[in-house]
Amino acid sequence: MKNTILILFITLLSVSCKKEPQYLVKIEGKQLPISAEIASDKTIEDFILPYKEKVEAEMNTVLSYTPKDLVRIDGKLESSLGNLMADLCFERANPVFNSRTGKNIDFAMLNFGGIRAGITKGDIKTINAFNLMPFENSLVVVEMTAEKVTELAKYLIAQNKAHPISKQLNLIVEANEYNLTIHNLPLDDSKTYFVLTSDYLQNGGDNMVFFKDPVKLFKLDYKVRNSIIDYFTEIDTIKVELDGRFTKEN
């Protein structure tokens, strides 16, 4: 009898200890508004303060100077800031590309929407570079056929917008015709061209599909923002003009 009771007890114990599957039956959320009524925690503030002061000091470091406002809307098909962006990226990236390949970049092209802020007249600080390019985009070089470069030119014409292009490319549109030169030479159908852009655009961003599936892709491991900071650090006073690199004549 004792054995029977013991066996029954062990059986009941094992059944009661069996893990049943757990199911989520309800989710509740609550909004916690942040307002001035919530007191700050001095311990957390004291912990953060040294890092906050360091970041602020770095962001307010003066890198260069501009004698005039730099914006992306002071021209129809080009702009002071767009020209500066394309030219400085070309200038900073070409030595890197040349050291690795023995070749030179033909021209640079970025996008109008990628310029996120202007730079007002006066000191240029590190924070300006972050405002100008808040994204983590990197520079890449795309080897393109002449046919793809023609698609690029037609894209610029159809867009009718001041996408940043470097001074090595010149595009003049007249009525239903256009004249495209690179380094003052007409497009050569037998050549391929090395075009500097961002990894975002190379992946087809802003509908720039001509950058996809290139002959060859070269990743420079150089962020666009870093190239801006490096350029500003080296140049005491920024000088940029609208030079007619992309124009439409009536």
Side-chain angles (χ1 to χ4, degrees):
M1 183 67 178
K2 287 183 180 180
N3 290 339
T4 303
I5 293 172
L6 180 60
I7 293 170
L8 180 60
F9 175 76
I10 293 173
T11 302
L12 290 173
L13 182 63
S14 64
V15 170
S16 66
C17 292
K18 184 179 179 182
K19 291 184 179 179
E20 294 294 332
Q22 302 295 309
Y23 299 99
L24 180 65
V25 295
K26 189 176 183 182
I27 297 177
E28 289 186 348
K30 188 163 124 180
Q31 187 173 18
L32 299 174
I34 298 175
S35 66
E37 296 176 0
I38 300 177
S40 61
D41 188 323
K42 192 172 184 310
T43 303
I44 296 176
E45 286 185 343
D46 291 343
F47 177 79
I48 293 174
L49 184 60
Y51 302 98
K52 180 174 179 288
E53 291 176 341
K54 183 179 179 182
V55 169
E56 287 179 348
E58 290 179 355
M59 290 295 103
N60 287 306
T61 299
V62 176
L63 305 177
S64 187
Y65 175 83
T66 174
K68 65 178 185 179
D69 291 343
L70 300 173
V71 295
R72 66 175 187 170
I73 54 171
D74 52 353
K76 184 176 180 182
L77 298 177
E78 62 175 328
S79 69
S80 57
L81 195 49
N83 286 0
L84 175 64
M85 279 282 291
D87 288 345
L88 76 82
C89 286
F90 179 96
E91 187 170 323
R92 294 299 309 177
N94 193 55
V96 177
F97 181 66
N98 179 266
S99 69
R100 297 180 186 178
T101 66
K103 303 178 186 298
N104 291 308
I105 297 168
D106 288 295
F107 65 91
M109 178 177 174
L110 300 170
N111 64 320
F112 179 83
I115 301 176
R116 309 303 286 191
I119 302 176
T120 55
K121 175 182 176 180
D123 290 337
I124 299 176
K125 302 177 181 179
T126 304
I127 188 65
N128 292 119
F130 276 81
N131 290 337
L132 179 59
M133 175 50 65
F135 311 115
E136 298 300 312
N137 294 343
S138 294
L139 292 169
V140 298
V141 176
V142 182
E143 184 176 2
M144 302 172 64
T145 62
E147 181 182 0
K148 290 290 187 179
V149 175
T150 298
E151 289 181 24
L152 181 153
K154 291 180 178 179
Y155 173 89
L156 285 171
I157 295 168
Q159 286 274 302
N160 201 41
K161 190 182 295 184
H163 289 297
I165 54 175
S166 65
K167 60 187 176 184
Q168 293 77 24
L169 182 144
N170 186 261
L171 180 60
I172 300 174
V173 182
E174 226 175 303
N176 294 322
E177 298 181 352
Y178 69 89
N179 182 48
L180 171 67
T181 59
I182 301 171
H183 293 284
N184 296 318
L185 296 173
L187 196 65
D188 186 341
D189 292 338
S190 66
K191 285 182 56 177
T192 58
Y193 292 84
F194 298 101
V195 183
L196 179 72
T197 189
S198 72
D199 53 357
Y200 166 71
L201 298 177
Q202 191 278 317
N203 283 313
D206 237 346
N207 292 318
M208 295 191 185
V209 293
F210 41 81
F211 282 137
K212 299 182 73 173
D213 302 318
V215 175
K216 193 169 183 180
L217 175 65
F218 302 85
K219 297 181 179 180
L220 302 185
D221 300 316
Y222 195 5
K223 292 190 182 299
V224 177
R225 185 195 307 121
N226 290 349
S227 71
I228 296 169
I229 293 172
D230 291 342
Y231 181 85
F232 286 158
T233 301
E234 288 192 354
I235 306 298
D236 178 74
T237 301
I238 302 301
K239 297 178 182 178
V240 59
E241 300 291 341
L242 303 182
D243 54 19
R245 60 189 65 181
F246 181 21
T247 59
K248 278 188 177 181
E249 298 181 0
N250 296 327

